[in-house]
């Protein structure tokens, strides 16, 4: 198993606060890839907040956002010689920068990604811009199931069985998200084990 | 004799002629900014004072000069002035900050009826203020009467600032004579050119002029404002409502109806995203985007031709404002004139024009601003020297002759083949002594140490200026290279974790933001300004017009300090400019070898060569193929080859090498 730990601060965590649309998922991927390139991995978790990338029979990011919240999503990249790839596309910082700019432009202009790509004169600002590579890179990122879930110990919003103190939220969009309660507070290790296909499964008692 | 220290709207008559001349002469000799007014410059309901004048000299009390036969009439004049000042104080909401005029009138104003010519100068001297807080109050009043309204009055500190950063943030704006002439004067020509160095207040002036025209009574002027840079356009779009609000423009801004603010190109999906896209939509003509074969000048040219063929063509704007005019070519300005009914106002940086040989830019400006209120004079001189490679091996990149130096606010002293260049001292931030010997600092480093150095610089800034905020600092990288984006990400991470500041990336978010440090490439910094600017560059610093022009532009964005970090391999560059800074600190001037005829010719050739960057890659490829005697019917395969394989920006030599190699290969294969 490949394990990368980054003890990170509140400003890094803030980048993962909002998830409402598919574009937010893509920005999560981009941010985690940036973190991978920009920060030196730590040997141990020694922070209240951290990002942990686990690459095994599954490939996931676990993001400890506060003492009471941990979220997890797919880590879509393959790691080859310290560079991130999906298929034949290399996701270096230049590529990540252009993708982020394009995704943010689609949000701002309220246009589909492909319109933005073909319409804007990005070559002017990014001389090494390769439109074919960009489209491939974007398409590859989109094809993944983001596998998003969030586990919370939420005392403030507790509302009996409708909003249990300890719960897990699956999916992110308002109409699809669903919540399952825990009768006890799960620890971080248990949450990670839920995702590990080689471990014995947890059961919901009905 | 041109006098940039004096402005008047007084109608000269026999009774006041000698006084006006005397005051004008005094302003020139003393080099003190002086206004002599017969009425306030902003529109108001009052009428000009019949026999009285307001004399305002920076650093002195306001003097009410009367030519009245009896004291009652003079007293009425003084009461009228107080009432008018009171009107402006109320209108611009200064009252809660500085109180009612009667509370401070005697401290800030002196009244004198029928002073003799011989006593006038002595009387003026008696009005000098020695208290900095009072000078600030007087400046606020002068500003109200001369149209320099301070839009930050609600949080402006009235007491004299204690350090440079507070001085920058609490600066009381007061237009000089050149600036006032631009706002309140008028010229009988279509395109009006305003030139000045970086930091001379061009953009601010355009905003004031826009307000004048937009709010002109009994007219519904349609006004548009454009610039090449999208970040600047966004920033201005945010600034205009705040500015109009502070100027107490009562009517709501009719965006995209009477007031347009956009970058130059725009998108076909949003007609108001750009000047060009708006015109295409307005005249129902096709929109063209950027491509291998198309640049902005091409689309302007095509649109201009199409518009000329339209029957019943009518301009769609009354007034058009262009900021950073040096970013555009003549085709754009032709289009601007065509679609504008009254005037096109173009602001451009005179220094950046040194890099152009286009005849359009050699025209003398209608308004030349020589006082730089933003950048430290030492930073400005060193940035100029680096920008023109003045201290490097011949041929250097450009030269400002004596006349141009003077227009730029330089003192130029020739001694045989050496020019001694210095800047006229200028108090940029009221009376705070803010010039320092560290305003520009150079660091020659191993690339692996860049991030650490930048963090160290920011920590030092925080230590020296306790009130510094993230938005006071900008980090800009010089070259559009992949590795710079990698370094930028590392810098962002380090600033997030070690400084605990948020970072906004100009090349992604296209805007500046409160509480965020601004990190960007060269494309998104023009027109912006910051107290502190850190620039970094990798590899060898080439002596090309494009790179050096960019370097000048970045380093002159700062109010207080500019830091330039570059690769340790540039030993010669480091040593030449470190010596230059030392010389400047010691003597307040730099000495430069004046180019001979031969070098001047080489400079001009290089400028022309660099202007090839205004051509499309396709144009360039065709020019080179022509030089290589390649038959025209074979051009298409070379275009395909370059399109598919050339990704390194615009480099004539590299494209030439690739074309020659490809040509060789084809010949060999055929043989």
């Amino acid at each position: 198993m490949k394990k990368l730990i980054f003890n990170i601060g509140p400003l890094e965590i803030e980048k993962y606060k909002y998830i409402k649309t598919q574009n937010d998922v893509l920005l999560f991927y981009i941010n985690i890839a940036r973190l991978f390139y920009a920060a030196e991995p730590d040997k141990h978790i020694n922070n209240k907040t951290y990002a942990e990338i686990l690459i095994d029979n599954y490939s996931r990011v676990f993001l400890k956002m506060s003492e009471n919240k941990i979220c997890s999503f797919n880590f879509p990249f393959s790691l080859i010689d310290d560079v991130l790839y999906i298929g034949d596309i290399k996701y270096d910082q230049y590529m990540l920068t252009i993708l982020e700019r394009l995704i943010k432009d689609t949000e701002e202009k309220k246009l589909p990604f492909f319109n933005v790509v073909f319409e804007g004169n990005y070559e002017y600002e990014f001389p090494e811009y390769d439109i074919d590579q960009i489209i491939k890179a974007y398409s590859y990122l989109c094809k993944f199931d983001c596998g998003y879930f969030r586990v919370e110990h939420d005392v403030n919003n507790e509302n009996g069985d409708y909003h249990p103190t300890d719960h897990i939220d699956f999916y992110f969009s308002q109409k699809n998200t669903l919540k399952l309660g825990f009768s006890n507070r799960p620890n971080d290790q248990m949450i990670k084990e839920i995702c590990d296909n080689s471990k014995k499964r947890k059961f919901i008692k009905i | 004799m041109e006098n940039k220290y004096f402005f008047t709207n007084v109608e000269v008559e026999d009774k006041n002629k000698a006084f006006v001349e005397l005051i004008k002469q005094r302003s020139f000799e003393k080099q003190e900014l002086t206004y002599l007014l017969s009425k306030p410059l902003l529109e108001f309901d009052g009428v000009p004072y019949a026999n009285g004048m307001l004399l305002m000299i920076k650093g002195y009390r306001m003097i009410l000069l009367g030519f009245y036969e009896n004291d009652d009439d003079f007293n009425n004049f003084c009461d009228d002035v107080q009432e008018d000042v009171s009107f402006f104080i109320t209108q611009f909401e200064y009252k809660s900050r500085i109180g009612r005029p009667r509370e401070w009138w005697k401290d800030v104003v002196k009244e004198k009826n029928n002073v003799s010519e011989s006593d006038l100068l002595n009387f003026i001297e008696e009005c000098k203020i020695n208290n900095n807080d009072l000078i600030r109050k007087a400046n606020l009043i002068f500003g109200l009467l001369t149209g320099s309204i301070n839009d930050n009055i609600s949080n402006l500190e009235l007491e004299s600032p204690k350090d440079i950063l507070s001085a920058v943030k609490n600066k009381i704006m007061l237009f000089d004579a050149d600036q006032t002439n631009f706002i309140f004067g008028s010229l009988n020509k279509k395109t009006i050119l305003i030139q000045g160095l970086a930091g001379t207040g061009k953009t601010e002036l355009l905003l004031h002029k826009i307000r004048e025209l937009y709010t002109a009574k009994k007219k519904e002027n349609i006004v548009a404002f454009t610039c090449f840079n999208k970040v600047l356009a966004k920033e201005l779009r945010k600034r205009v409502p705040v500015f109009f609000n502070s100027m107490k423009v009562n009517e709501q801004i009719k965006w995209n109806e009477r007031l347009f603010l956009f970058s130059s190109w725009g998108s076909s999906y949003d007609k108001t995203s750009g000047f060009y896209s708006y015109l295409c939509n307005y005249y129902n003509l096709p929109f063209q985007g950027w491509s291998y074969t198309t640049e902005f000048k091409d689309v302007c040219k095509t649109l201009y031709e199409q518009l000329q063929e339209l029957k019943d063509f009518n301009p769609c704007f009354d007034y058009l404002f262009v900021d950073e005019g040096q970013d555009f070519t003549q085709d754009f300005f032709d289009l601007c004139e065509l679609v504008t009914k009254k005037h096109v106002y173009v602001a451009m940086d005179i220094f950046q024009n040194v890099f152009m040989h286009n005849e359009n830019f050699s025209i003398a400006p209608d308004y030349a601003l020589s006082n730089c209120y933003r950048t430290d004079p030492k930073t400005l001189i060193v940035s100029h020297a680096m920008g023109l490679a003045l201290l490097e091996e011949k041929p250097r990149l450009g030269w400002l002759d004596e006349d141009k130096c003077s227009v730029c606010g330089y003192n130029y002293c020739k001694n045989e083949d050496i020019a001694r260049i210095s800047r006229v001292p200028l108090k940029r931030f009221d009376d705070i002594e803010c010039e320092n010997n560290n305003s520009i600092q150079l660091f020659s480093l191993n690339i692996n140490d860049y991030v650490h150095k930048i963090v160290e610089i920011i920590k030092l800034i925080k230590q020296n200026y306790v009130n510094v905020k993230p938005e006071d600092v900008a980090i800009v990288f010089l070259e559009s290279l992949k590795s710079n984006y990698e370094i930028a990400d590392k810098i962002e991470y380090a600033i997030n974790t070690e400084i605990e500041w948020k970072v906004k990336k100009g090349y992604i978010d296209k805007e500046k933001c409160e509480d965020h440090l601004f990190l960007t490439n060269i494309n998104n910094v023009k027109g912006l300004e910051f107290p502190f600017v850190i620039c970094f560059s990798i590899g060898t610093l080439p002596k090309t017009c494009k790179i050096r022009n960019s370097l000048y532009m970045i380093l002159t964005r700062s109010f207080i300090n500019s830091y330039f970090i570059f690769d340790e391999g540039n030993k010669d560059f480091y040593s030449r400019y470190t010596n230059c800074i030392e010389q400047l600190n010691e003597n307040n001037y730099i000495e430069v070898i004046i180019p001979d005829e031969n070098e001047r010719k080489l400079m001009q050739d290089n400028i022309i060569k660099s202007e090839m960057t205004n051509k499309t890659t396709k144009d360039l490829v065709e020019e080179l193929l022509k030089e290589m005697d390649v038959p025209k019917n074979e051009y298409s395969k070379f275009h395909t080859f370059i399109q598919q394989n050339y990704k390194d920006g615009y480099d004539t030599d590299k494209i030439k090498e690739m074309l020659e190699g490809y040509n060789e290969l084809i010949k060999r294969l055929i043989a």
Side-chain angles (χ1 to χ4, degrees), chain A residues 11 14-15 34-35 39 92-94 97 100-101 104 108 115 119 121 123-128, chain B residues 228 234 267-269 287 290 482 485-486 489 493 496 501 507-510 521 523-524 647:
Chain A
L11 294 183
E14 213 175 284
K15 296 174 186 169
R34 276 190 196 290
L35 179 70
D92 58 18
Q93 278 133 305
Y94 194 68
T97 297
E100 187 176 355
R101 165 75 181 279
K104 288 190 168 167
E108 194 193 319
N115 291 33
E119 218 278 327
N121 55 358
E123 295 91 332
Y124 175 77
E125 187 159 353
F126 302 105
E128 296 176 59
Chain B
F228 195 79
K234 260 193 179 179
S267 135
S268 62
Y269 296 98
F287 174 93
W290 187 92
K482 276 187 173 185
Y485 290 90
E486 288 167 22
D489 276 357
Y493 182 75
N496 281 170
W501 276 1
Y507 47 86
I508 290 176
D509 296 294
K510 295 271 153 193
N521 58 12
N523 299 75
N524 302 290
K647 309 281 180 198

Side-chain angles (χ1 to χ4, degrees), chain B residues 630-641:
Chain B
V630 174
K632 258 194 173 176
N633 60 358
E634 290 182 20
Y635 280 12
S636 66
K637 62 186 170 205
F638 286 90
H639 283 309
T640 312
F641 172 71

Side-chain angles (χ1 to χ4, degrees), chain A:
Chain A
M1 177 195 275
K2 176 100 182 159
K3 187 199 267 192
L4 295 163
I5 295 166
F6 300 93
N7 292 305
I8 53 178
L11 294 183
E12 197 60 39
I13 289 293
E14 213 175 284
K15 296 174 186 169
Y16 304 88
K17 253 186 176 167
Y18 298 101
I19 179 162
K20 302 254 184 241
T21 66
Q22 183 61 22
N23 275 348
D24 295 329
V25 173
L26 301 184
L27 291 176
F28 274 26
Y29 294 157
I30 289 170
N31 283 329
I32 202 74
R34 276 190 196 290
L35 179 70
F36 166 80
Y37 285 121
E40 283 295 316
D42 294 292
K43 282 190 179 150
H44 307 286
I45 294 170
N46 50 23
N47 222 9
K48 277 183 195 165
T49 52
Y50 62 84
E52 186 175 10
I53 302 170
L54 294 175
I55 304 168
D56 196 358
N57 52 20
Y58 63 100
S59 193
R60 269 191 173 273
V61 179
F62 292 91
L63 206 65
K64 183 82 174 169
M65 303 178 78
S66 70
E67 230 165 319
N68 298 322
K69 192 191 282 190
I70 187 165
C71 85
S72 177
F73 55 90
N74 178 30
F75 183 71
F77 308 101
S78 310
L79 183 55
I80 304 167
D81 297 332
D82 289 334
V83 178
L84 299 174
Y85 285 87
I86 301 179
D88 54 337
I89 295 289
K90 182 175 167 182
Y91 289 77
D92 58 18
Q93 278 133 305
Y94 194 68
M95 172 66 86
L96 296 171
T97 297
I98 297 173
L99 281 173
E100 187 176 355
R101 165 75 181 279
L102 290 166
I103 290 165
K104 288 190 168 167
D105 279 358
T106 61
E107 288 285 316
E108 194 193 319
K109 295 178 181 171
K110 298 187 173 45
L111 285 173
F113 182 82
F114 295 100
N115 291 33
V116 170
V117 167
F118 287 112
E119 218 278 327
N121 55 358
Y122 296 96
E123 295 91 332
Y124 175 77
E125 187 159 353
F126 302 105
E128 296 176 59
Y129 180 90
D130 182 325
I131 199 161
D132 296 336
Q133 297 279 306
I134 301 290
I135 290 172
K136 250 187 179 179
Y138 176 78
S139 310
Y140 284 180
L141 280 181
C142 285
K143 75 179 182 180
F144 286 95
D145 174 351
C146 77
Y148 179 84
F149 69 79
R150 190 175 63 236
V151 177
E152 282 185 87
H153 175 74
D154 188 358
V155 180
N156 292 341
N157 296 307
E158 191 269 338
N159 182 15
D161 289 352
Y162 288 94
H163 193 119
T165 303
D166 291 295
H167 63 261
I168 180 165
D169 290 305
F170 290 104
Y171 316 121
F172 55 84
S173 63
Q174 214 175 357
K175 289 192 176 174
N176 287 312
T177 184
L178 62 94
K179 204 180 292 294
L180 285 178
F182 293 118
S183 43
N184 294 305
R185 183 174 183 170
N187 61 33
D188 293 356
Q189 193 49 39
M190 185 190 146
I191 295 164
K192 288 168 198 168
E193 281 174 10
I194 292 174
C195 304
D196 188 345
N197 297 332
S198 64
K199 293 272 187 314
K200 282 185 177 179
R201 300 301 167 184
K202 309 289 174 202
F203 283 81
I204 299 170
K205 284 185 183 166
I206 299 175

